[in-house]
Amino acid sequence: MGYIYETHLHTCEASKCGRAHGADYIDYMMGLGYSGIIVTDHFFNGNSAVPADLPWKERVDWYVSGYEAALKAAEGKDFKVFFGIEYNFECDEYLIYGVDKQWLYDNPDILSKTRHEVYDLVHASGGIMVQAHPYRERYYITKINLTPSICDGIEIYNAGNETYMNSLAYKYAEKLDLPTSSGSDIHFFYDGMKGGMMFENKLETIQDYVKAFMNREGTPIVLDEGKIRRVDEIEEFTVPSKEPNLEVVYHDNDRQI
């Protein structure tokens, strides 16, 4: 047994698709056996609940409100709350870990940046970018966009994906030889399989997560009816049953190739 952290979580404060308040996640996730969560609300270029007509600082304050509510609710409890971002380009979305509210304050022009420019800004602050659900297919997605050169890791299990989408992500990460993650992509409380990253040691900060993840010290797991299973030991999540239905487009130097 180890310490399990939810790596992909949305609150209704900042994500338009969120249905649970940040503060309400604490007891719920503790009851499921998690040691902490990373709040990764949709940023302003995604399915954001933050009005676009506010001054930049007010938008950032609103954006982090779900995370801050969860952080406050966890005070005095043996449970960690970390900050993250889900950042969207052309329906290719990335989980950004290792930056903070001040970083957002300091980059009011970030929405005009290219994929590689954002990646460089994240790295300059000691953060990383992990592509979330890279092979996801939805009605609003017209093609699968992949940019290996801006990925520090790949989310290989996402509880909101169909199994073949997760297994395609697993093969993609295997091909690139990148660190891998698992997350629930949770928006509300539900019964069913959930994801997470398991570590031998407790994490105290988001920087601890970044370091451990990049050192490949975490194990992507699935929580299934109280049982902990390694993603890489589940055939349906590692062996694709079909090819993508959508066109797969690769990018390099911010150009389609």
Side-chain angles (χ1 to χ4, degrees):
M1 292 292 292
Y3 301 95
I4 301 172
Y5 297 83
E6 172 61 77
T7 65
H8 193 161
L9 178 147
H10 297 273
T11 74
C12 65
E13 282 93 340
S15 294
K16 191 177 293 184
C17 46
R19 294 293 178 270
H21 292 277
D24 294 337
Y25 276 112
I26 309 308
D27 290 340
Y28 174 72
M29 299 302 282
M30 289 182 71
L32 293 173
Y34 287 88
S35 297
I37 57 175
I38 308 178
V39 178
T40 55
D41 277 311
H42 290 293
F43 199 56
F44 307 145
N45 47 12
N47 198 19
S48 176
V50 182
D53 58 351
L54 295 175
W56 183 256
K57 185 177 184 300
E58 290 182 30
R59 293 178 76 185
V60 171
D61 289 342
W62 188 318
Y63 177 74
V64 302
S65 63
Y67 155 72
E68 291 181 339
L71 184 66
K72 182 173 179 58
E75 290 179 358
K77 299 183 179 181
D78 187 18
F79 190 86
K80 294 296 180 180
V81 176
F82 304 139
F83 176 71
I85 299 168
E86 184 166 14
Y87 198 94
N88 174 62
F89 290 101
E90 296 177 77
C91 292
D92 52 320
E93 296 181 295
Y94 300 83
L95 299 167
I96 299 177
Y97 305 118
V99 302
D100 57 15
K101 179 167 65 172
Q102 187 61 52
W103 183 82
L104 290 175
Y105 284 158
D106 293 341
N107 289 284
D109 61 344
I110 193 171
L111 295 174
S112 66
K113 302 290 187 183
T114 66
R115 290 175 176 85
H116 284 86
E117 287 171 337
V118 173
Y119 182 73
D120 289 344
L121 281 172
V122 170
H123 268 232
S125 68
I128 59 173
M129 287 173 59
V130 175
Q131 186 162 7
H133 42 67
Y135 282 86
R136 170 166 287 181
E137 298 184 14
R138 294 288 191 273
Y139 71 91
Y140 55 85
I141 299 176
T142 59
K143 59 186 176 181
I144 293 168
N145 290 298
L146 303 176
T147 309
S149 56
I150 66 165
C151 290
D152 296 301
I154 302 295
E155 184 183 62
I156 60 169
Y157 176 79
N158 179 290
N161 270 11
E162 294 184 42
T163 54
Y164 80 92
M165 300 175 191
N166 285 323
S167 57
L168 287 167
Y170 178 86
K171 288 299 183 184
Y172 179 52
E174 190 174 56
K175 179 180 178 180
L176 298 178
D177 189 27
L178 286 176
T180 57
S181 72
S182 168
S184 303
D185 201 353
I186 187 169
H187 292 68
F188 48 83
F189 305 156
Y190 68 93
D191 295 325
M193 296 172 67
K194 295 177 177 64
M197 291 293 287
M198 186 166 66
F199 299 88
E200 289 186 6
N201 301 308
K202 280 187 176 182
L203 306 178
E204 298 296 330
T205 67
I206 190 61
Q207 287 73 28
D208 288 345
Y209 178 80
V210 168
K211 181 179 179 180
F213 177 78
M214 293 305 296
N215 288 338
R216 305 186 190 226
E217 296 171 3
T219 301
I221 61 96
V222 172
L223 282 175
D224 186 7
E225 296 182 348
K227 296 179 181 179
I228 300 172
R229 304 168 66 195
R230 292 175 59 114
V231 173
D232 62 6
E233 294 178 348
I234 305 173
E235 183 175 351
E236 63 182 329
F237 296 137
T238 58
V239 179
S241 60
K242 58 180 288 187
E243 293 298 311
N245 296 305
L246 297 177
E247 177 189 10
V248 178
V249 176
Y250 286 86
H251 299 258
D252 189 31
N253 294 324
D254 300 306
R255 293 190 300 272
Q256 181 175 321
I257 60 174

